[in-house]
Amino acid sequence: MNNEEKIYSLLEKLYLELQTTKTELKDEIRGVRTELKDEIQENRKSINKNTESIGKLEYKVDKVNDKLDNIEANNADRHLEISKEIEEMKDNFNNVEQITAKNWQDIARLKSIR
């Protein structure tokens, strides 16, 4: 076997080795792609579940905020009612004081007449 034949034989072996390596790499890349696709799908499912959970939580938070707003509105209304009642009681108390003062004057006048 001369040098050219040796070189040709080595090149042929190298070519076959490269083809085998190329095939192995393609298979490895396919496997990695499949794994990545599976992982991406799992992540998407997880994200969708989290998104649903967040949506449910947002809905519940909105409900709670609505209830708090109603409570605040009711408290504000009740506060106004109580304030009005207190004002009425003050007015009534002032009237009672005036009437009592008038009665004491009348009693004092009646006592002085006797």
Side-chain angles (χ1 to χ4, degrees), residues 80-95:
L80 286 174
E81 289 174 21
I82 291 171
S83 295
K84 287 178 184 177
E85 288 177 15
I86 290 171
E87 288 301 317
E88 287 177 21
M89 291 170 83
K90 283 181 184 178
D91 290 343
N92 290 340
F93 184 73
N94 286 336
N95 289 339

Side-chain angles (χ1 to χ4, degrees), residues 32-48:
V32 169
R33 281 183 178 166
T34 301
E35 288 177 24
L36 286 174
K37 283 180 183 178
D38 291 345
E39 263 186 62
I40 288 170
Q41 284 178 345
E42 287 178 27
N43 287 337
R44 283 183 180 156
K45 287 177 185 176
S46 177
I47 288 170
N48 287 339

